[in-house]
Amino acid sequence: MRATCIVGVGMTRFGRFPERSLADLAAEAARGALADAGAAPALAQAIVFANATQGALEGQHGIRGQAALDGCGFGAAPVINVENACASATTALHLAHVLVGSGAYDCVLAAGAEKMVMPDPAKSMAAFEGSWDLSRRDATIAGLLAMGAGVRVPPGAEAEGPHSVFMDVYAAFCRHHMALFGTTQRQMAAVSAKNHQHSVENPRAQYRRAFTVEEVMAARPIVWPLTLPMCSPISDGAAAALVSTPEVAERLGQSGRAARIRASVLMSGDHRDPDRLEDHVARKAARRAWDAAGLGPEDVDVVECHDATAFGEILQSEMLGFFGLGEGGPAAERGDTRLGGRIPFNPSGGLESKGHPIGATGLGQVFEIVAQLRGEAGPRQIGDARIGLIENGGGLRGVEEAAVAITILEGAGR
Amino acid sequence: MRATCIVGVGMTRFGRFPERSLADLAAEAARGALADAGAAPALAQAIVFANATQGALEGQHGIRGQAALDGCGFGAAPVINVENACASATTALHLAHVLVGSGAYDCVLAAGAEKMVMPDPAKSMAAFEGSWDLSRRDATIAGLLAMGAGVRVPPGAEAEGPHSVFMDVYAAFCRHHMALFGTTQRQMAAVSAKNHQHSVENPRAQYRRAFTVEEVMAARPIVWPLTLPMCSPISDGAAAALVSTPEVAERLGQSGRAARIRASVLMSGDHRDPDRLEDHVARKAARRAWDAAGLGPEDVDVVECHDATAFGEILQSEMLGFFGLGEGGPAAERGDTRLGGRIPFNPSGGLESKGHPIGATGLGQVFEIVAQLRGEAGPRQIGDARIGLIENGGGLRGVEEAAVAITILEGAGR
């Protein structure tokens, strides 16, 4: 397969924009990626479009990308509509990478967009989740929570408000991790406080307010041990990346800004045993990515990972090989993963604070890493970051993510 | 890009199976493709899964393929969920082709499945379409029907029962074609009668009853000039194709049965002018496919095309270059496109009679063409067919299909 690189990125601010449509958001991100690359729409020979909820929330199925990008001038370029729950956007990126790498296409736009804040509350994400098969849902959650049964839940900490079922799932995995390794709620609060602090400097983040560890601990409980600032919010937003070859990057005058895709690995979890963390799908995918890139964790300067909750970041920091099993929490508490630390995680603010518009999330992570590798990340710039890693996961299959995508990018050097 | 071929195909019967689940159907097709190739599930390094309606009808979004194929033994192989309305399955095939062609994967399963017959009528396709924005829908249809305004609709012929909105759309395009070229309802009835006759010999077809042209003309009107047997039905079903390289085909002992993918072209329509048939997206996609394959219509032995209505087959027989503009109807009436005719179209019975389980349809077409190229089509075998073409379209954008996929396959020779 020939070499590929990202020649342009675009991204809306993530947030709650009741007045904006999915098409409006998608077009801003797509046009942004083209403008960033100095490319005309006709350069994109194909579009891979990621979205997770428009079918459920707005009744637009089938040809979501054609509908969302109708006014962008892509003409007869094929549109491939993909979904993979919260990993939809990096699934799109993976396809763009392989489509270009194959030689069948010279330039492909990966675009992801999500519109979760609906004018009509009856058509909201909460209503959507509420429509699920409750007996099956509750059995799944009960089964998962049983994993962490050895962990003492403080009295009163279960006084929870309405929340996404995924917060139940994350809380279950989190309690299991606490039972296995002694991970603490304070360590999770440290992750959350760090990410909220990071996003103060990110103009595209949904939230830009700093929290102390104590504030995170004292915030409204969601499902113990998760409190509100440890959980990613409901968000609108879009992000896009234009994938091409080093030759096209040079023709566009972007050789100095293009980010080479050193590895792009997609896998599907299938384990039923929560104790088999050694063989967790993210661990397997990471090993494959390191092999493909010829690199290891020690070579990486910056990571964006899937912190749908603060626990997710701790787990992934271990699965990706940056820390040993059970060492992710202490490392976060020590500050190893903050800006200026040994290996900064989520300088953008992560899903917790930058926001989590499902189908756009992975490409939002890519936007941040590309900015870092170019030295364009402003006050949150990480020195002369050269290698960045993106981990984006989605869905639930057995006790793992149904889809995990790991991408390793290399900057052009400065 | 390296050469690719289809080393195995699988397909359920298409029909109405209220007692079968999507997973049940998908697994039968996937296992069928593996068994046909003599391959273990582990050979499939990735799965591209196509489905169009499960989100709307059953509330399964996000990770449809992981859920449907959970019991098939594909382990951690990545699953890529795609949709492109009625062209979802060939979108999956196109991706499988490029994923293998790139060298990133050696073997990829493209699988499509659809479950449209619901135990609960309130969750049926009709209820789903009824939930669409009616003002927008009616404006679109009124606009399209205005195109064929010069055509006289016989008194009483508009006494229509409930039907899919797409039948309104097809009727509008059909009337426009009648106005432009003098295409007749009898020519459309000839297409329908031929396809129903073909499927008498297809054990996987939903309907296996022959109709005369007169019976088709006299059948229940849907939207003039379409009558019931001219329209594809609501169907359940699944189909799959295992895509790999000629080297893997040889290792599997399938060199003599593998079908080489000579061209795989996907495009998205964007025209607003219904009179610009010369530049219709299917015509553009066909030109690109002929160029890629180094072949022309005269080289093709058998065609499966997207006859969601009988008119669709007439239009596509012209767009693909088998007949000149306005000559598709007369050709069908002459018998040029029947088994034994100059260029047989839809020997399987087509969507009209074999059935149209949306997300499986394109791979059902592939199943038929592969059978024909292998000489395994039984009583509907077309001599020593060597080159077959598949056209699969979906959705509506402007006055064209939002997605058109054209695939040209070459048999190993016998």
Side-chain angles (χ1 to χ4, degrees):
Chain A
M1 207 173 86
R2 65 177 172 174
T4 67
C5 58
I6 295 173
V7 296
V9 288
M11 179 182 168
T12 67
R13 182 171 182 179
F14 287 179
R16 300 178 72 91
F17 309 118
E19 75 292 352
R20 300 191 68 180
S21 68
L22 185 82
D24 181 29
L25 295 163
E28 180 185 331
R31 291 189 179 122
L34 293 170
D36 182 51
L43 196 75
Q45 295 172 342
I47 292 128
V48 190
F49 185 78
N51 171 267
T53 69
Q54 206 194 11
L57 301 186
E58 298 194 272
Q60 175 66 61
H61 301 268
I63 53 164
R64 305 181 202 192
Q66 287 93 328
L69 299 172
D70 197 34
C72 292
F74 292 118
V79 180
I80 295 156
N81 297 288
V82 300
E83 60 178 338
N84 239 337
C86 299
S88 296
T90 46
T91 297
L93 181 74
H94 179 68
L95 286 178
H97 163 65
V98 181
L99 290 172
V100 170
S102 73
Y105 298 89
D106 289 324
C107 189
V108 175
L109 182 76
E114 205 71 60
K115 175 71 198 156
M116 300 173 75
V117 179
M118 290 287 135
D120 177 357
K123 293 185 178 167
S124 69
M125 200 63 202
F128 166 47
E129 287 196 7
S131 74
W132 293 356
D133 179 338
L134 289 183
S135 58
R136 208 173 119 201
R137 166 189 153 159
D138 291 348
T140 303
I141 294 168
L144 292 172
L145 284 171
M147 295 180 340
V151 176
R152 196 186 63 86
V153 178
E158 285 288 89
E160 28 177 293
H163 58 266
S164 164
V165 62
F166 284 102
M167 297 304 136
D168 292 297
V169 171
Y170 269 105
F173 288 140
C174 184
R175 292 184 200 179
H176 184 61
H177 201 268
M178 294 169 114
L180 285 178
F181 304 113
T183 304
T184 67
Q185 189 188 39
R186 177 167 289 273
Q187 290 164 355
M188 275 167 287
V191 169
S192 175
K194 163 187 73 73
N195 287 344
H196 283 281
Q197 177 63 53
H198 287 174
S199 67
V200 170
E201 301 292 358
N202 185 355
R204 286 183 173 81
Q206 181 163 357
Y207 299 116
R208 302 183 65 188
R209 190 204 132 181
F211 288 81
T212 64
V213 170
E214 284 65 33
E215 282 172 324
V216 174
M217 301 274 287
R220 174 156 82 80
I222 300 297
V223 191
W224 194 85
L226 303 174
T227 66
L228 189 64
M230 296 183 197
C231 299
S232 54
I234 297 286
S235 315
D236 300 329
L242 193 64
V243 177
S244 195
T245 62
E247 293 68 33
V248 170
E250 192 172 342
R251 279 213 307 277
L252 292 168
Q254 297 291 346
S255 293
R257 293 173 80 239
R260 170 90 182 274
I261 301 178
R262 291 286 300 263
S264 171
V265 172
L266 183 68
M267 292 182 85
S268 176
D270 69 337
H271 282 171
R272 265 63 183 168
D273 178 357
D275 292 340
R276 280 174 64 186
L277 280 175
E278 269 302 336
D279 279 333
H280 190 282
V281 62
R283 215 168 170 79
K284 283 192 287 201
R287 279 196 291 265
R288 197 174 284 185
W290 298 131
D291 282 353
L295 297 169
E298 66 282 2
D299 299 309
V300 174
D301 300 302
V302 53
V303 175
E304 286 275 311
C305 82
H306 197 81
D307 64 324
T309 66
F311 170 68
E313 179 170 317
I314 289 178
L315 179 68
Q316 295 304 340
S317 72
E318 297 172 1
M319 294 300 107
L320 297 169
F322 290 96
F323 305 106
L325 286 175
E327 293 173 17
E333 206 170 7
R334 273 198 310 270
D336 286 6
T337 54
R338 64 170 169 73
L339 274 171
R342 185 158 75 78
I343 171 70
F345 270 59
N346 288 322
S348 70
L351 283 57
E352 286 167 84
S353 194
K354 181 180 54 180
H356 184 18
I358 306 180
T361 291
L363 285 161
Q365 296 174 309
V366 168
F367 184 94
E368 176 69 16
I369 294 294
V370 169
Q372 291 284 352
L373 299 180
R374 289 173 174 172
E376 296 176 359
R380 35 181 226 292
Q381 180 63 42
I382 294 157
D384 55 352
R386 179 78 185 253
I387 303 282
L389 182 144
I390 296 129
E391 179 272 332
N392 182 209
L396 185 68
R397 185 167 171 233
V399 296
E400 298 186 328
E401 298 95 323
V404 170
I406 294 177
T407 314
I408 300 177
L409 299 182
E410 177 174 10
R414 280 168 276 136
Chain B
M1 205 173 87
R2 65 178 172 172
T4 67
C5 58
I6 295 173
V7 296
V9 289
M11 181 182 165
T12 67
R13 183 173 181 177
F14 288 177
R16 300 177 73 89
F17 310 118
E19 75 291 351
R20 299 191 68 180
S21 68
L22 185 82
D24 181 28
L25 296 162
E28 180 185 332
R31 290 187 178 122
L34 293 170
D36 182 51
L43 195 75
Q45 296 172 343
I47 292 128
V48 189
F49 186 77
N51 172 268
T53 69
Q54 206 193 10
L57 300 187
E58 299 194 272
Q60 175 67 61
H61 301 268
I63 52 164
R64 306 180 201 192
Q66 288 93 330
L69 298 172
D70 197 32
C72 293
F74 292 118
V79 180
I80 295 156
N81 298 288
V82 300
E83 62 178 337
N84 239 338
C86 300
S88 295
T90 46
T91 296
L93 181 75
H94 179 67
L95 286 178
H97 163 66
V98 180
L99 289 172
V100 170
S102 74
Y105 299 89
D106 288 325
C107 189
V108 175
L109 182 75
E114 205 72 60
K115 175 72 195 155
M116 300 172 75
V117 179
M118 290 287 134
D120 177 357
K123 293 184 178 168
S124 68
M125 200 62 203
F128 165 47
E129 287 196 7
S131 74
W132 294 353
D133 179 335
L134 289 183
S135 57
R136 207 171 120 202
R137 167 190 153 160
D138 291 348
T140 303
I141 294 169
L144 292 172
L145 284 171
M147 296 180 339
V151 176
R152 197 185 63 86
V153 179
E158 286 288 272
E160 28 176 298
H163 58 265
S164 163
V165 62
F166 283 103
M167 297 306 135
D168 292 296
V169 171
Y170 269 105
F173 288 141
C174 184
R175 292 184 199 178
H176 184 60
H177 201 267
M178 293 168 113
L180 284 179
F181 303 114
T183 304
T184 66
Q185 189 187 36
R186 176 166 290 272
Q187 290 163 354
M188 275 167 288
V191 168
S192 174
K194 163 187 74 73
N195 287 345
H196 283 280
Q197 177 64 53
H198 286 175
S199 66
V200 169
E201 300 293 357
N202 186 354
R204 286 184 173 81
Q206 181 162 358
Y207 300 115
R208 302 184 63 190
R209 190 204 132 182
F211 287 81
T212 64
V213 170
E214 284 66 33
E215 283 172 324
V216 174
M217 300 274 287
R220 175 157 80 81
I222 300 297
V223 193
W224 195 82
L226 303 174
T227 66
L228 189 65
M230 295 183 197
C231 299
S232 55
I234 297 286
S235 314
D236 300 330
L242 194 63
V243 177
S244 194
T245 62
E247 293 70 32
V248 171
E250 192 171 343
R251 280 212 307 278
L252 293 167
Q254 296 291 347
S255 291
R257 293 173 80 241
R260 170 88 183 276
I261 301 178
R262 291 284 301 263
S264 172
V265 172
L266 183 67
M267 292 183 84
S268 176
D270 70 337
H271 281 172
R272 265 62 182 168
D273 178 358
D275 292 339
R276 280 175 62 187
L277 280 175
E278 269 302 334
D279 279 332
H280 191 280
V281 63
R283 214 168 172 79
K284 282 193 287 201
R287 279 196 292 263
R288 197 175 284 186
W290 298 130
D291 282 352
L295 297 168
E298 65 283 3
D299 299 308
V300 174
D301 301 303
V302 53
V303 174
E304 286 274 313
C305 82
H306 196 83
D307 63 323
T309 67
F311 170 67
E313 180 171 316
I314 289 177
L315 178 69
Q316 294 305 339
S317 71
E318 298 172 359
M319 294 300 107
L320 297 169
F322 290 96
F323 305 106
L325 286 176
E327 293 172 17
E333 204 170 8
R334 272 198 313 268
D336 287 5
T337 55
R338 65 171 168 71
L339 276 170
R342 184 159 74 80
I343 171 70
F345 270 61
N346 288 321
S348 71
L351 283 57
E352 285 167 84
S353 195
K354 181 181 56 182
H356 184 17
I358 305 179
T361 291
L363 285 160
Q365 296 174 309
V366 168
F367 184 95
E368 176 69 17
I369 294 294
V370 169
Q372 292 284 353
L373 299 180
R374 288 172 174 173
E376 296 176 357
R380 35 180 226 292
Q381 180 63 42
I382 294 157
D384 53 353
R386 180 79 186 251
I387 303 284
L389 181 143
I390 296 128
E391 178 273 331
N392 183 207
L396 185 68
R397 185 167 171 233
V399 296
E400 298 186 327
E401 299 95 322
V404 170
I406 294 176
T407 314
I408 300 176
L409 299 182
E410 178 174 9
R414 280 168 277 134

